[in-house]
RNA sequence: GGCCCCUUCGUCUAUCGGUUAGGACGCCAGGUUUUCAUCCUGGAAAGAAGAGUUCGAUUCUCUUAGGGGUCACCA
């Protein structure tokens, strides 16, 4: 039996060191961001280091710009690596596995020398034939194990001279781990507890590829060891290979780190894990920031560009699979660090809920000061090339903030504050605009025109004075007045709107409305 | 299919043998608002099923069902 218990947690005397190790095959998915976030939170919580390492051992899947994207996305979230890519080099580098290529071979050699691994000459065809044979024989589960390796061409079945000759002749080969027969591998996962697998159900995985590169399994274990990683926090998709990793630590004679396998982010509706397609289908981003695919020219949308605040984004992500055990739901990054506890991460996958994410963003938007809100609105206006009176931005942004979830709503919900309406809401027009409306608007325009100060209070007093004088209810005049000035049937206080627009504009709009609506 | 993991309201979750099973998002209703939004109040909504252990199971064990992951010279 091979055990991998949480020794690190029994005496957390050594400094906590965790890593996020994505492979640069494209944009980072929000599931990956959450994994990075949990790693970061755990490190900071325990005064440890968070490293960023790039696992680019598969040159065929390398995507230009992906690494830059990962660093930028994490930076937007407020996650900065202490060490590695995007952080300092503290002597454990390089931090890209492609640049560490030369060192992996010696570790493969080490396992070979210790009889913990062997050289295999199987071709792809031979492997396929073997699988097919097993299938034809009715074997439901085929493993590349102690039985299979006895029937293949490798350093265990061939005489040493022949192996040497093949290598000398330049024949391609791989190095596979030599798993013992019928051993129980047990590892203690911080989130899941003890996980147990028998080696009979495991494969002699390839550790070192024919192209001279290590596979994930070898490179990952070697690097984690060399970089002093104490806790491996990664997605649940790695749980099936965790026992293999335990066997590798065992083979090297290294102490294994503490494992924690995070639950997956699932589709909001159907089965399966969250994918880019779900985002496209359901109308929400699955990436932290925009990603431009250079080959197709398409852009995959990101939370940043969608209008999310980084704080809201990570707040939402953090609560997807973890909770503080209290009823608090709103946390800033430091608050998350303080409250984070790996053992309170849930075991089951979490269906992604974009609605909750929107709620978080709304909360964060409302928490902004008037100055900050004004700046957000200014950005949106500038982006659209609309002109505005800077002095009113704070008032407008604050007024609109209660009906906004994203900065762009600050404008969308009150576009009439910046543009004279060209269309008038049909439903409101049919229901609220009558033959009596035009004369009433005319009267109101006259009264407004006489106002010395066109303030919200003065406008309100004037408007109500008109109602009293004519003995009219608000409902008789208000809706059509709103329609005339804003073109809409609903919105914020008309008096504030008028004050912001200014007397000239309001009068102009009223006369235009009378012309158009009749 | 093999192996592994998981299973409380529609969703995210609290509960670490004894609770009227709590909160949040969403939804519904009422109130505030001339309107809408906001805000306030209230409501509907859950322990997959079956055994066992126990004085007592959502909680512990087993079985079944369901869901997920993984089975590459990808990570």
């Amino acid at each position: 039996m091979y055990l991998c218990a949480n020794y690190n947690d029994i005496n957390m005397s050594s400094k906590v060191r965790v890593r996020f190790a994505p492979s640069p095959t494209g944009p980072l998915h929000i599931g990956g961001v959450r994994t990075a976030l949990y790693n970061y939170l755990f490190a900071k919580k325990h005064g440890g280091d968070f490293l960023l390492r790039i696992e680019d051992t598969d040159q065929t899947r390398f995507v230009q710009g992906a690494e830059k994207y990962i660093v930028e996305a994490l930076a937007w979230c407020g996650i900065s690596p202490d060490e590695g890519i995007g952080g300092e080099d503290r002597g454990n580098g390089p931090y890209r596995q492609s640049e560490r290529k030369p060192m992996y071979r010696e570790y493969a050699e080490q396992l070979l020398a210790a009889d913990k691994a062997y050289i295999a000459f199987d071709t792809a065809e031979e492997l396929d034939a073997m699988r097919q044979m097993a299938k034809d024989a009715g074997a439901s589960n085929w493993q590349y194990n102690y039985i299979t390796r006895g029937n293949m061409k490798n350093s265990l079945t061939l005489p040493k001279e022949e192996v040497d000759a093949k290598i000398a002749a330049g024949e391609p080969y791989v190095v596979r781990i030599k798993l013992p027969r019928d051993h129980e591998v047990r590892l203690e996962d911080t989130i899941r507890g003890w996980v147990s697998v028998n080696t009979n159900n495991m494969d002699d995985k390839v550790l070192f590829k024919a192209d001279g590169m290590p596979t994930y399994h070898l490179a990952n274990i070697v690097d984690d060891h060399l970089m002093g990683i104490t806790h491996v926090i990664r997605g649940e998709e790695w749980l099936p290979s965790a026992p293999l990793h335990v066997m590798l630590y065992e083979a090297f004679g290294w102490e294994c780190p503490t494992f924690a396998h995070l639950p997956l982010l699932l589709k909001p509706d159907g089965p399966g894990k969250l994918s880019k397609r779900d985002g496209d289908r359901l109308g929400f981003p699955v990436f932290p920031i925009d990603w431009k695919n250079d080959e197709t020219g398409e852009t995959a949308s990101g939370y940043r560009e969608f209008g999310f605040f980084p704080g809201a984004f990570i707040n939402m992500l953090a609560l997807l699979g973890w909770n503080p055990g209290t009823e608090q739901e709103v946390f800033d990054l430091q608050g998350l660090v303080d409250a984070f506890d790996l053992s309170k991460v849930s075991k089951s996958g979490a269906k992604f809920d974009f609605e909750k994410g929107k709620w978080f963003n709304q909360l964060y938007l409302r928490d902004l000061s008037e100055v900050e809100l004004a700046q957000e609105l200014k950005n949106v206006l500038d982006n659209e090339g609309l002109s505005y009176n800077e002095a009113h931005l704070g008032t407008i942004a604050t007024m609109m903030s209660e009906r906004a979830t994203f900065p762009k709503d600050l404008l969308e919900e009150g576009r009439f504050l910046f543009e004279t309406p060209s269309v008038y809401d049909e439903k409101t027009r049919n229901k609220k605009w009558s033959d009596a409306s035009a004369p009433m608007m005319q009267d109101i325009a006259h009264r407004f025109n006489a106002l010395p100060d066109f303030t919200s209070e003065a406008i309100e007093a004037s408007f109500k004075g008109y109602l009293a004088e004519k003995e009219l209810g608000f409902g008789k005049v208000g809706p059509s007045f709103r329609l005339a000035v804003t073109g809409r049937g609903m919105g914020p206080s008309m008096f504030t709107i008028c004050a912001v627009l200014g007397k000239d504009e309001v009068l102009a709009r009223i006369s235009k409305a009378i012309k158009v609506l009749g």
Side-chain angles (χ1 to χ4, degrees):
Chain A
M1 170 143 51
Y2 295 99
L3 287 182
C4 173
N6 288 349
Y7 301 115
N8 284 314
D9 294 337
I10 293 164
N11 62 332
M12 269 216 298
S13 50
S14 57
K15 189 180 191 187
V16 165
R17 283 171 65 80
V18 299
R19 84 301 193 275
F20 178 55
S23 67
T25 54
L28 193 58
H29 178 273
I30 52 176
V33 176
R34 192 194 57 169
T35 301
L37 176 64
Y38 282 12
N39 270 282
Y40 175 83
L41 296 177
F42 183 76
K44 295 299 118 184
K45 167 84 177 187
H46 296 101
D49 296 328
F50 171 69
L51 325 223
L52 179 58
R53 184 174 71 218
I54 298 293
E55 309 220 326
D56 55 350
T57 51
D58 184 0
Q59 293 124 327
T60 63
R61 297 214 307 161
F62 179 85
V63 172
Q64 197 64 240
E67 178 186 309
K68 185 168 169 280
Y69 177 96
I70 290 164
V71 172
E72 190 185 343
L74 292 182
W76 178 65
C77 295
I79 300 171
S80 52
D82 297 297
E83 184 176 340
I85 305 298
E88 294 175 26
D89 182 341
R90 294 191 186 160
N92 297 304
Y95 297 93
R96 285 181 200 90
Q97 290 183 330
S98 58
E99 294 169 16
R100 300 168 68 82
K101 184 178 175 181
M103 70 174 69
Y104 299 113
R105 181 177 291 273
E106 70 180 81
Y107 286 97
E109 301 279 358
Q110 189 181 321
L111 292 182
L112 248 16
D115 194 32
K116 301 282 189 181
Y118 58 96
I119 287 171
F121 296 100
D122 320 322
T123 62
E125 294 72 35
E126 286 166 343
L127 249 19
D128 288 343
M130 199 66 182
R131 291 195 184 95
Q132 191 56 46
M133 244 171 71
K135 201 176 164 188
D136 294 344
S140 58
N141 58 325
W142 179 81
Q143 304 284 154
Y144 195 117
N145 58 14
Y146 57 92
I147 295 169
T148 309
R149 72 184 175 228
N151 297 321
M152 306 295 275
K153 284 180 287 181
N154 54 51
S155 61
L156 299 174
T157 57
L158 264 26
K160 188 175 185 310
E161 305 75 55
E162 196 176 338
V163 171
D164 291 344
K166 276 174 173 294
I167 293 172
E171 202 169 304
Y173 67 91
V174 300
V175 176
R176 284 180 183 271
I177 187 169
K178 184 182 171 192
L179 251 24
R181 178 179 182 171
D182 194 25
H183 275 68
E184 208 61 24
V185 186
R186 284 165 55 79
L187 67 114
E188 190 181 8
D189 185 285
T190 306
I191 295 166
R192 285 149 213 289
W194 286 98
V195 174
S196 183
V197 182
N198 190 290
T199 51
N200 288 353
N201 292 316
M202 295 165 63
D203 287 299
D204 282 357
K205 288 287 183 194
V206 171
L207 302 177
F208 200 81
K209 299 183 270 188
D211 66 359
M213 275 293 219
T215 59
Y216 166 84
H217 305 295
L218 209 223
N220 186 266
I221 267 64
V222 167
D223 288 348
D224 280 351
H225 177 255
L226 259 25
M227 294 180 184
I229 300 303
T230 57
H231 298 255
V232 170
I233 303 167
R234 72 227 301 195
E236 191 186 343
E237 70 268 27
W238 292 110
L239 195 52
S241 53
L244 173 73
H245 301 159
V246 171
M247 290 309 291
L248 274 168
Y249 282 106
E250 153 69 25
F252 279 116
W254 296 335
E255 188 184 315
C256 69
T258 296
F259 289 101
H261 290 90
L262 271 21
L264 263 18
L265 256 32
L266 272 19
K267 295 180 197 300
D269 43 10
K273 54 178 177 178
L274 187 65
S275 70
K276 179 184 180 302
R277 294 182 61 90
D278 301 313
D280 296 342
R281 183 167 56 84
L282 272 12
F284 60 80
V286 295
F287 301 114
I289 61 180
D290 273 4
W291 165 260
K292 277 184 208 58
N293 185 328
D294 289 336
E295 282 176 27
T296 63
E298 286 173 6
T299 296
S301 84
Y303 279 80
R304 182 177 65 185
E305 289 77 5
F306 199 92
F308 273 82
F309 299 105
F313 177 61
I314 61 165
N315 198 155
M316 161 191 74
L317 238 34
L319 271 299
L320 228 43
W322 169 84
N323 76 87
T326 67
E327 289 184 352
Q328 185 179 350
E329 285 198 293
V330 183
F331 295 89
D332 60 13
L333 189 55
Q334 186 55 49
L336 287 172
V337 168
D338 295 337
F340 192 71
D341 181 353
L342 208 43
S343 66
K344 290 198 80 65
V345 172
S346 50
K347 296 179 175 75
S348 51
K351 286 188 177 173
F352 184 73
D353 181 12
F354 188 60
E355 289 303 317
K356 187 104 185 200
K358 285 184 357 192
W359 175 74
F360 273 115
N361 211 60
Q362 189 178 36
L363 233 46
Y364 276 73
L365 182 123
R366 293 219 197 115
D367 201 41
L368 259 32
S369 68
E370 178 166 327
V371 173
E372 290 166 326
L373 281 169
Q375 185 57 50
E376 293 291 346
L377 176 56
K378 191 175 188 307
N379 293 343
V380 178
L381 288 163
D382 288 343
N383 208 24
E384 291 221 13
L386 289 168
S387 57
Y388 50 87
N389 179 344
E390 194 133 358
H392 287 149
L393 252 31
T395 310
I396 294 172
T398 303
M399 178 170 70
M400 300 317 300
S401 67
E402 67 191 32
R403 56 195 78 221
T405 296
F406 301 105
K408 60 173 178 278
D409 301 332
L410 258 17
L411 168 62
E412 288 312 322
E413 294 296 316
R415 188 172 276 275
F416 51 80
L417 290 164
F418 304 94
E419 289 175 332
T420 301
S422 49
V423 292
Y424 297 85
D425 182 65
E426 271 303 315
K427 269 178 78 177
T428 309
R429 177 179 182 171
N430 294 336
K431 279 182 75 174
K432 304 292 182 183
W433 189 269
S434 67
D435 293 342
S437 297
M440 287 192 285
M441 294 307 115
Q442 203 69 261
D443 291 344
I444 290 167
H446 279 303
R447 292 180 71 101
F448 281 5
N449 196 28
L451 288 176
D453 295 314
F454 205 64
T455 62
S456 168
E457 294 76 18
I459 295 164
E460 181 169 1
S462 173
F463 190 87
K464 288 187 171 165
Y466 173 73
L467 294 183
E469 187 185 307
K470 297 282 183 185
E471 294 183 338
L472 288 165
F474 207 119
K476 278 270 180 282
V477 193
S480 44
F481 178 54
R482 176 183 297 281
L483 181 69
V485 177
T486 70
R488 298 194 187 185
M490 57 189 87
S493 158
M494 279 309 297
F495 311 123
T496 313
I497 290 172
C498 288
V500 167
L501 289 174
K503 190 195 283 185
D504 293 347
E505 177 67 15
V506 171
L507 295 182
R509 286 188 184 192
I510 289 175
S511 62
K512 177 182 176 183
I514 289 171
K515 280 200 195 85
V516 176
L517 299 172

